[in-house]
């Protein structure tokens, strides 16, 4: 059974930093690209970042580019998201998800339960 | 960047009724579209990928259709656990979500 467990969410002041972690199990972690998606309170889903299976390629939403850094440790089956220069608008539940590639696209298949970041 | 517009924002229906949700893309996305369900207090769940393929374990009362710019998610007969928010999603240079449709109990 695929499990994704996020941790690291906290209350942090504007301008502060935080590192989120996502521990993965139940699948061959290193094969799959992984991503982060966030959801502000009462709002919809917003894609944040994706990293390739071996970490060589990363993509970021414009809203976080230059402030957030995605990384992974395949020896620990763990995904990370380093958040810096945090703003109030970064307040959200942050979900990690593994990807599901098809012939035409890449989707988010399994999701963790999320970790809450509050910037205030 | 592709913009996804979902309608209606809220759909009020009774258990057993048919639900029809729409997602319109600002430009053609072929069949590269997914649907996710998010129940209150839970993480999203992949329902449909490539516009019409059910993800593993998804009941056959859920179906997706469409291509190009117009897509539909249909729930043939609503079960109590189907009252939730539904999002469409497309990936081009980035991953884009629609704003969601809430299916609520009438």
């Amino acid at each position: 059974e695929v499990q994704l467990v996020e941790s690291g969410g906290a209350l942090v002041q504007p301008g502060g930093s935080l590192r989120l972690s996502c521990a993965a199990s139940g699948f061959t972690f290193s094969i799959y690209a992984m991503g982060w998606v966030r959801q502000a309170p009462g709002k919809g889903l917003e894609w944040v970042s994706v990293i390739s299976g071996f970490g060589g390629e990363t993509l970021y939403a414009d809203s976080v580019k230059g402030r957030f850094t995605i990384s992974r440790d395949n020896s620990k089956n763990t995904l990370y998201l380093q958040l810096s220069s945090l703003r109030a608008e970064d307040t959200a539940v942050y979900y990690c998800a593994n990807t599901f590639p098809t012939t035409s696209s890449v989707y988010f298949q399994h999701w963790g339960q999320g970790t809450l970041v509050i910037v205030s | 960047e592709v913009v996804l517009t979902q309608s209606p924002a809220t759909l009020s229906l009774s258990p057993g009724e048919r639900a029809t949700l729409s997602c319109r893309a600002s430009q053609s996305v072929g069949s590269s579209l997914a649907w996710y369900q998010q129940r209150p207090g839970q993480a999203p769940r992949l329902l449909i990928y490539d516009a019409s393929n059910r993800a593993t374990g998804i009941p056959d009362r859920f179906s997706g259709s469409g291509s190009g710019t117009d897509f539909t998610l249909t729930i043939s007969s609503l079960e109590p656990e189907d009252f939730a928010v539904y999002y469409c999603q497309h990936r081009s240079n980035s991953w884009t979500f629609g704003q969601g449709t809430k299916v609520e109990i009438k």
Side-chain angles (χ1 to χ4, degrees):
Chain A
E1 179 193 2
V2 172
Q3 284 200 321
L4 298 167
V5 180
E6 302 95 335
S7 61
L11 171 63
V12 61
Q13 293 183 341
S17 298
L18 205 58
R19 189 175 83 157
L20 308 182
S21 300
C22 172
S25 61
F27 65 103
T28 306
F29 181 72
S30 61
I31 291 177
Y32 292 94
M34 297 288 296
W36 290 95
V37 176
R38 68 183 180 183
Q39 186 170 37
K43 304 296 185 183
L45 302 173
E46 180 189 16
W47 168 71
V48 173
S49 183
V50 161
I51 186 168
S52 61
F54 289 97
E57 295 182 45
T58 58
L59 291 170
Y60 297 93
D62 288 344
S63 58
V64 307
K65 201 173 293 182
R67 300 187 301 120
F68 291 8
T69 302
I70 191 171
S71 62
R72 64 192 297 161
D73 185 337
N74 288 344
S75 69
K76 296 181 178 179
N77 286 358
T78 302
L79 175 72
Y80 302 101
L81 186 67
Q82 179 71 42
L83 291 64
S84 303
S85 302
L86 282 162
R87 307 166 179 166
E89 55 265 34
D90 296 318
T91 294
V93 173
Y94 285 73
Y95 296 102
C96 74
N98 68 355
T99 62
F100 171 53
T102 70
T103 53
S104 61
S105 192
V106 180
Y107 305 104
F108 295 114
Q109 185 173 24
H110 297 284
W111 299 60
Q113 283 305 301
T115 188
L116 176 61
V117 173
I118 299 174
V119 183
S120 178
Chain B
E1 181 182 317
V2 174
V3 177
L4 300 176
T5 302
Q6 293 186 240
S7 61
T10 304
L11 200 50
S12 298
L13 294 168
S14 300
E17 289 193 293
R18 182 183 189 91
T20 303
L21 289 66
S22 174
C23 177
R24 177 163 291 178
S26 58
Q27 62 192 75
S28 177
V29 299
S31 61
S32 300
L33 190 103
W35 291 93
Y36 299 83
Q37 176 195 63
Q38 188 176 32
R39 294 169 175 155
Q42 295 189 16
R45 175 172 73 144
L46 177 65
L47 294 178
I48 301 288
Y49 65 92
D50 288 347
S52 61
N53 295 290
R54 273 188 301 276
T56 302
I58 302 303
D60 61 7
R61 64 181 181 272
F62 290 93
S63 63
S65 63
S67 65
T69 60
D70 290 298
F71 299 86
T72 300
L73 174 69
T74 301
I75 310 171
S76 60
S77 178
L78 284 163
E79 297 288 340
E81 62 268 26
D82 299 337
F83 292 92
V85 180
Y86 294 83
Y87 296 93
C88 58
Q89 175 254 314
H90 167 71
R91 180 240 176 174
S92 51
N93 296 323
S94 63
W95 279 257
T96 303
F97 291 91
Q99 81 278 19
T101 289
K102 181 180 182 180
V103 179
E104 66 175 22
I105 300 176
K106 186 174 181 181

